[in-house]
Amino acid sequence: MRRGGDGGEGQGLLAQLRNPPGGRNARIMLLALAVDRTGSGLWAASSVLYLTFVTQLSAQQIGVLLGTAGVAGIAGSPLAGRLAGRFPVRPLLIGCHLLRLVTLALVLVCSDFGALLPVIAVTYVGDRAAKTLEMLFATRTAGERRAAYQALSRSAANAGYGVGAGIAAIGLAVGTTGAYRALILGNALSFVVAAVLVWRTDEARERTLEVARSGAPAGDGREAPVGDGREVLAGDGREAPVRRTGPWRDRGYLRFALLDIPMNLDDSILAVGLPLWLVERTSAPHALVPAFLVINTVLVVVLQLSVSKRAEGPRRATRAVLLYGVLTFVCCGCLAAAALVGTWAAAALLLAAALLVTLAELMRSVSSWELAVLLAPEDSRAAYLGVAGMSQSIQKSAGPPLLTGAVMAAGPVGWLVLGTAVAGLSAVQQRSCARRLGIDEPRTEPALQAG
């Protein structure tokens, strides 16, 4: 394996940011994404304290408020996908930014729980819709290099989020009502700037459907496009016409979206499982908690571009799903063992778990998007991607209570059960996707080569 310590990866990242897949449109969208996520970092770091000290809500009210908003946000992805199938993506994305601008302005003038509940719920709907529209815009702009664009977008998003969190730290250190309001205004301002940047792009054209309609081989000729109205039969490899009336009646795609929910659990494991498990069930020093986020951020920035190149295309994307399950299983094993050993052994196991869950996240970040696009019929891609976008939203709502209420309550055995379940479901997902895409097991091409 090549070592990344010589700066090659960093130079590659900078070069790609200057000339990303998709050219000018992609460059502007990456900047808009970084600005948007800077605002998200401000909100994430300050929202709970703002609601506590400025609006005077109780902890229970804040929990209900954010929990309800998270559930409401699930509707944002399919709604955006449905609208994007009928209207251009660019004005829809601008509309999402402006919608969140209005709702954030209302947050500043509302102090009653009953008034804040629908306002923040709509904010979360707009947030999830914007993420789906960004994905769809990138898919149309970057084309076959969407995995490389996804890597760049994650780097831009992480950078923006980190900047936002850093700015928020200054405001929180001041701790006055004015400082809290300034942070919320900063988030609102990010939506204005992002909307202006999106307005400067040209609407990405839909890819033509002549290839799909003619039945000609796609790309390198190894497989037929999913969107051409044919589906490979499991028994003898023959193809039969399939009538699709949309993602909600496409059982194969719904199965992919459903199985993709546990394929996003790395997010909750890193943000909730690791720190709470360290504090409650191990003797490791609490000072390790910030290290988990540092490990995650650094590795994502350094490795994301490299990993994306090794997960492009249907064969490698399906293999990445399987590797996700293996990495998550080993991560859960480390967490289970950390509760059974001494202080420094527990610390080492928890740091290993942070490393493994980050590697799993890298696998998921490219495979989920790549497969969501590949499995969708090209002429209905917007609606299909809207359904696929629900997986992450559902996980964000269901993942934390699953970990705290079931997995961690069961002790080390709970982590082993979770790891086994995710590994098993990843194998099911891999096989299901490979069958739908008509991919036979490759005999000569190793997946995710070490380079």
Side-chain angles (χ1 to χ4, degrees):
M1 179 181 290
R2 291 190 298 267
R3 300 185 62 178
D6 57 2
E9 287 292 343
Q11 293 173 5
L13 176 61
L14 292 175
Q16 288 274 6
L17 287 172
R18 285 193 294 267
N19 186 28
R24 174 182 176 274
N25 273 353
R27 187 162 54 248
I28 295 174
M29 281 298 296
L30 287 171
L31 180 57
L33 182 68
V35 171
D36 185 359
R37 297 305 186 271
T38 299
S40 297
L42 291 171
W43 172 260
S46 63
S47 58
V48 171
L49 293 179
Y50 175 87
L51 294 172
T52 300
F53 296 114
V54 179
T55 63
Q56 301 293 313
L57 297 184
S58 68
Q60 291 77 14
Q61 288 176 317
I62 293 173
V64 171
L65 190 71
L66 297 181
T68 303
V71 173
I74 295 173
S77 294
L79 177 61
R82 187 173 183 84
L83 291 174
R86 299 182 179 185
F87 305 101
V89 171
R90 185 180 68 158
L92 289 174
L93 183 53
I94 293 173
C96 284
H97 290 320
L98 296 181
L99 173 65
R100 292 184 291 169
L101 169 65
V102 171
T103 56
L104 259 292
L106 290 174
V107 167
L108 288 171
V109 298
C110 293
S111 58
D112 179 71
F113 173 79
L116 283 169
L117 185 61
V119 169
I120 294 184
V122 173
T123 303
Y124 276 54
V125 171
D127 182 70
R128 293 309 309 171
K131 286 180 169 59
T132 297
L133 292 170
E134 288 165 352
M135 182 173 75
L136 183 58
F137 190 100
T139 299
R140 295 174 178 176
T141 300
E144 297 302 320
R145 298 189 63 198
R146 55 184 168 265
Y149 180 91
Q150 166 73 340
L152 292 173
S153 69
R154 282 179 55 76
S155 297
N158 273 298
Y161 201 88
V163 170
I167 296 173
I170 299 174
L172 297 179
V174 176
T176 64
T177 297
Y180 290 132
R181 291 186 180 277
L183 293 176
I184 302 299
L185 279 172
N187 189 15
L189 178 62
S190 74
F191 299 142
V192 176
V193 177
V196 171
L197 288 170
V198 174
W199 178 74
R200 292 184 59 199
T201 65
D202 300 320
E203 177 67 28
R205 287 192 172 189
E206 298 258 8
R207 295 181 62 197
T208 59
L209 301 178
E210 283 77 12
V211 172
R213 290 171 179 166
S214 67
D220 58 5
R222 288 181 294 180
E223 70 241 2
V226 175
D228 64 355
R230 293 178 289 158
E231 191 164 278
V232 177
L233 297 180
D236 54 11
R238 292 182 294 108
E239 292 172 346
V242 175
R243 182 180 179 184
R244 292 194 176 95
T245 57
W248 296 108
R249 295 188 180 183
D250 188 337
R251 289 181 295 177
Y253 200 84
L254 288 177
R255 182 169 57 247
F256 161 76
L258 182 63
L259 289 172
D260 202 43
I261 296 172
M263 300 300 108
N264 279 271
L265 274 171
D266 58 274
D267 178 70
S268 292
I269 292 174
L270 177 69
V272 178
L274 268 166
L276 286 183
W277 189 251
L278 181 151
V279 171
E280 295 183 0
R281 301 299 292 267
T282 78
S283 58
H286 294 184
L288 277 182
V289 172
F292 300 150
L293 185 59
V294 171
I295 290 172
N296 179 263
T297 302
V298 171
L299 288 181
V300 166
V301 171
V302 172
L303 298 179
Q304 184 71 76
L305 200 61
S306 177
V307 169
S308 71
K309 294 177 182 178
R310 292 163 172 79
E312 288 181 335
R315 296 182 187 275
R316 291 179 174 180
T318 53
R319 287 289 188 87
V321 174
L322 200 60
L323 186 53
Y324 177 92
V326 173
L327 290 167
T328 304
F329 174 79
V330 180
C331 168
C332 290
C334 289
L335 287 167
L340 307 175
V341 296
T343 299
W344 297 112
L349 286 167
L350 290 168
L351 289 173
L355 171 64
L356 289 163
V357 77
T358 299
L359 295 177
E361 176 190 345
L362 291 168
M363 295 297 104
R364 181 262 301 168
S365 65
V366 290
S367 65
S368 287
W369 189 12
E370 184 79 356
L371 291 172
V373 174
L374 290 171
L375 294 169
E378 193 168 8
D379 55 351
S380 305
R381 186 168 284 169
Y384 274 71
L385 291 180
V387 172
M390 294 177 64
S391 299
Q392 188 175 4
S393 301
I394 294 173
Q395 187 284 139
K396 284 184 176 294
S397 296
L402 170 68
L403 292 183
T404 57
V407 174
M408 295 173 61
V413 174
W415 285 111
L416 295 177
V417 171
L418 178 67
T420 302
V422 171
L425 291 173
S426 72
V428 175
Q429 179 79 300
Q430 187 269 342
R431 184 172 180 82
S432 175
C433 292
R435 182 178 299 170
R436 181 173 168 110
L437 291 168
I439 302 172
D440 295 324
E441 283 297 316
R443 297 178 181 178
T444 59
E445 178 189 3
L448 302 176
Q449 297 177 6

